[in-house]
Amino acid sequence: MREVRVRFAPSPTGALHIGGVRTALYNYLLARKYNGTMILRIEDTDQTRYVPGAEAYIVESLAWAGIKIDEGVGVGGPYAPYRQSERKALYKTYAQKLVDEDHAYYAFDTEQDLEEMRKRTPNAQYDGVTRMQMKNSLTLSGKEVAQKLSVGEKYVIRLKVPGKEEIHLTDLIRGSVTVQSSQVDDKVLMKSDGMPTYHLANVVDDYLMKISHVIRGEEWLPSAPLHVLLYRYLGWEKEMPQFAHLPLLLKPDGNGKLSKRDADKMGFPIFPLNWQDPESGHVAIGYREAGYLPEALINFLAFLGWNPGTEQELFSMEQLIEAFTLERIGKAGARFDIQKAQWFNQHYLRSKSDDVLIGYLLDSLKKENIDCSQEKAKKIVAVMKERVTFPKDFWEQGKFFFTAPVSFDEQVVSKKWNDDTVKVLTAFSNEIKSGSNLIAETAKDTLEMVTSKLGIKTGHILQALRMSITGGASGPDLMITMEILGNAEVFKRIHFAIKTLKVKVT
RNA sequence: GGUCUGUUCGUCUAACGGUUAGGACACCAGAUUUUCAUUCUGGUAAUAGGGGUUCGAUUCCCCUACGGACUACCA
């Protein structure tokens, strides 16, 4: 097998889509598995769609996800530059070579010319039959062409696709694909602004950078035959990389590929990191900011379209590298199911050390300007650990550890708040008020002592007690919660509840 | 419309001619938990349809249906 050199080649037109992260991941896994090289190339040949900040965003996203770049933008390498806009002159020489060898030609058609051509021919495309009706170096005399060129008239260079030929290519995922050349149009190779199109730049760079495998989204499959032609005419067929066209990520419901709109609608991120649209200023939430751990996202993404063939589902990056093969990538598009991502997240979150978890809580508290001792944080994390999916849950589901409730769960109030509960809670609070430092066991003993004295079942008032302390109907172990809060606070909260709720009851 | 491509539980998928069609997420039920969650146990649930080939098709071939991608001087 030849040296594995793969590239991830996004264009900096905005935030990196989550599907792009998966494409990058598969490239990376292959590179690592075979001790190859992972290259990041920026395909910024469309100056009209260039978005400042997008490149930096891509670099940061990959770094966060744990996808390391060996060569390319940001790190450099032997085939620099890795930004296509900086390689502009290169493409021109290859386009010229194609023209010289009669595999490409100049075309001077205006937008209007093209429009008219499309209108008059059904299923129109610029190809072997229509090109003879157009303004190009195939229909114009050499003199005319030279004249136009010297005057500086705008032109593009188009590939001269043969009329009747079968183009074969072998895709590592889809097997052999055959296309009739008559179905391929004379694609523009060089645009009138002097920039190459994707097709030319991609092929030239993949060749020059000695790319061994082109792993990209399925949307490129239809143009792959064109690329094969380009390799052939440039004389690089022997060095042509192997292709692997990845199945697409589909909407969670309905049909079509996953889009930002679906994500917004269903309430999950579609970008790895927060992305602020430079025009609208609107910020789209990222996986990182939503609380997804990179290892969870990676594990989740890896399984969208690939599986190891065993029943193991939990994989670290190292394990993925070990297990990954292109052969085990599926053919069908994969529906995006955020619930599975959450499950992975919960798993990876729990496997973090207590210190890390405590750090999450402390981070949240810092943002809220709340002080908290290490010991208290440790206790809270211990009791909350089994209940969280995201780092922020420690704070969001445990706010009551820091602020007393101001309102109470209405269901519990209507169902469980009655004279008995008030009786028990009053007695209980008085009991602990004077007692020594509250710990979970004594809280429990005290509560049972009070209820048995009053002849009321503990179970009946427990939810009311929780509600008076936390405001909610469910939460972590109540006795431990009270221990963390301490006598005085518990007493205060119970009395506040009795005071405010009495009005509602009677 | 044309070209390419795909189709196994609701979802991600396993089974590369012979299995009671397996696993995971989700869902449901039971147990544990004085709540909720966790955890444990169990359960519901799929080969798109029709033809072939074969002793035997989820698996190979054809047709149909339904998806998807592409069809720009965008990538």
Side-chain angles (χ1 to χ4, degrees):
Chain A
M1 192 173 182
R2 79 162 133 157
E3 188 193 348
V4 171
R5 289 179 55 84
V6 293
R7 83 294 192 282
F8 178 56
S11 76
T13 54
L16 182 59
H17 186 277
I18 196 68
V21 178
R22 189 194 59 163
T23 302
L25 173 65
Y26 285 2
N27 273 284
Y28 177 72
L29 294 176
L30 190 79
R32 278 291 168 281
K33 177 163 182 121
Y34 295 106
N35 262 313
T37 306
M38 170 75 176
I39 296 156
L40 175 65
R41 188 172 70 215
I42 296 293
E43 311 221 324
D44 55 348
T45 53
D46 186 352
Q47 295 168 321
T48 63
R49 293 207 308 157
Y50 180 79
V51 173
E55 181 187 307
Y57 178 93
I58 290 164
V59 169
E60 194 187 348
S61 294
L62 296 178
W64 174 73
I67 297 170
K68 295 181 196 72
I69 304 302
D70 302 312
E71 199 180 303
V73 165
V75 295
Y79 302 96
Y82 291 92
R83 218 174 266 117
Q84 290 186 328
S85 58
E86 295 168 15
R87 303 167 65 78
K88 193 172 168 183
L90 253 176
Y91 309 117
K92 184 141 200 191
T93 60
Y94 290 105
Q96 191 56 245
K97 181 174 181 249
L98 289 169
V99 172
D100 294 344
E101 292 171 9
D102 198 31
H103 285 126
Y105 57 91
Y106 297 102
F108 302 95
D109 313 281
T110 64
E111 217 170 294
Q112 203 182 5
D113 294 335
L114 293 171
E115 217 171 279
E116 277 166 15
M117 181 271 284
R118 286 180 187 123
K119 236 188 279 174
R120 69 172 172 261
T121 336
N123 287 330
Q125 59 177 14
Y126 207 118
D127 62 12
V129 328
T130 53
R131 68 175 162 239
M132 295 321 283
Q133 311 158 4
M134 307 301 288
K135 284 187 217 128
N136 53 51
S137 57
L138 267 19
T139 57
L140 269 24
S141 72
K143 214 172 150 189
E144 281 174 297
V145 172
Q147 220 277 334
K148 281 177 182 292
L149 256 25
S150 71
V151 174
E153 190 170 318
K154 292 261 183 203
Y155 68 91
V156 298
I157 294 177
R158 286 182 181 272
L159 183 68
K160 194 172 157 194
V161 177
K164 217 172 170 206
E165 205 174 285
E166 273 195 348
I167 308 169
H168 298 276
L169 75 119
T170 305
D171 185 277
L172 263 13
I173 293 171
R174 272 147 235 285
S176 129
V177 177
T178 304
V179 178
Q180 301 299 326
S181 67
S182 58
Q183 300 298 332
V184 180
D185 63 340
D186 288 0
K187 275 270 170 331
V188 170
L189 265 19
M190 291 295 288
K191 301 185 264 190
S192 58
D193 66 356
M195 276 290 192
T197 57
Y198 170 89
H199 307 289
L200 210 221
N202 194 261
V203 166
V204 167
D205 284 346
D206 283 349
Y207 168 75
L208 292 177
M209 294 178 185
K210 297 194 163 48
I211 299 302
S212 62
H213 301 258
V214 168
I215 305 170
R216 83 237 285 201
E218 196 186 359
E219 68 269 27
W220 292 110
L221 192 53
S223 52
L226 172 81
H227 303 156
V228 171
L229 243 30
L230 241 15
Y231 280 103
R232 184 176 304 161
Y233 295 154
L234 257 2
W236 302 334
E237 216 168 357
K238 280 204 303 290
E239 290 88 354
M240 188 167 75
Q242 293 197 273
F243 294 105
H245 289 95
L246 266 22
L248 263 18
L249 260 28
L250 271 21
K251 294 176 191 292
D253 62 339
N255 305 127
K257 66 174 175 182
L258 185 65
S259 72
K260 179 167 182 321
R261 256 198 49 182
D262 305 304
D264 292 344
K265 201 174 72 189
M266 317 276 296
F268 61 82
I270 189 136
F271 300 140
L273 274 34
N274 270 9
W275 169 256
Q276 179 170 26
D277 187 279
E279 278 192 15
S280 67
H282 174 260
V283 176
I285 189 121
Y287 276 87
R288 179 177 65 185
E289 289 79 4
Y292 286 86
L293 270 7
E295 53 269 50
L297 216 220
I298 289 299
N299 199 156
F300 167 65
L301 250 23
F303 271 71
L304 244 33
W306 172 86
N307 77 85
T310 65
E311 295 200 336
Q312 185 184 346
E313 304 235 27
L314 268 3
F315 280 80
S316 66
M317 188 69 98
E318 292 311 306
Q319 291 170 313
L320 285 173
I321 290 165
E322 177 71 31
F324 187 77
T325 60
L326 289 173
E327 293 73 47
R328 293 209 65 91
I329 294 176
K331 294 178 166 107
R335 280 232 157 85
F336 196 81
D337 178 17
I338 198 65
Q339 284 193 107
K340 193 109 179 195
Q342 286 170 357
W343 176 77
F344 277 115
N345 208 243
Q346 185 185 42
H347 170 82
Y348 284 104
L349 187 62
R350 270 189 216 163
S351 61
K352 296 274 182 198
S353 73
D354 285 351
D355 283 344
V356 171
L357 265 19
I358 290 167
Y360 290 145
L361 206 215
L362 263 17
D363 282 349
S364 298
L365 292 173
K366 206 169 178 183
K367 277 181 211 147
E368 302 290 330
N369 273 316
I370 295 171
D371 282 330
C372 177
S373 71
Q374 190 76 17
E375 291 91 311
K376 187 177 177 184
K378 193 172 177 180
K379 281 184 174 180
I380 293 172
V381 164
V383 74
M384 295 288 290
K385 192 176 172 175
E386 297 299 303
R387 328 176 54 84
V388 293
T389 303
F390 299 108
K392 64 180 185 329
D393 289 347
F394 285 110
W395 157 247
E396 291 194 345
Q397 294 178 26
K399 283 184 185 171
F400 56 81
F401 283 116
F402 304 96
T403 53
V406 289
S407 64
F408 299 95
D409 187 284
E410 284 178 28
Q411 284 228 320
V412 180
V413 172
S414 64
K415 281 188 187 154
K416 304 282 185 179
W417 194 266
N418 51 45
D419 289 349
D420 279 357
T421 55
V422 172
K423 242 187 273 175
V424 172
L425 295 199
T426 306
F428 175 70
S429 62
N430 285 334
E431 206 57 50
I432 62 161
K433 181 187 181 187
S434 53
S436 58
N437 222 7
L438 195 62
I439 61 167
E441 287 78 28
T442 59
K444 190 176 181 187
D445 291 345
T446 309
L447 182 63
E448 275 168 2
M449 194 258 290
V450 169
T451 50
S452 71
K453 204 188 271 179
L454 290 169
I456 294 164
K457 276 192 184 161
T458 310
H460 279 155
I461 54 87
L462 210 79
Q463 256 202 311
L465 175 59
R466 170 186 297 283
M467 183 205 68
S468 67
I469 291 166
T470 70
S474 64
D477 188 287
L478 225 205
M479 303 307 150
I480 297 175
T481 300
M482 291 197 287
E483 174 182 322
I484 294 170
L485 254 18
N487 300 31
E489 184 64 21
V490 171
F491 177 82
K492 225 168 74 187
R493 291 189 185 186
I494 292 175
H495 273 262
F496 176 73
I498 290 172
K499 206 175 76 192
T500 51
L501 289 174
K502 197 173 258 173
V503 191
K504 287 185 184 171
V505 173
T506 50

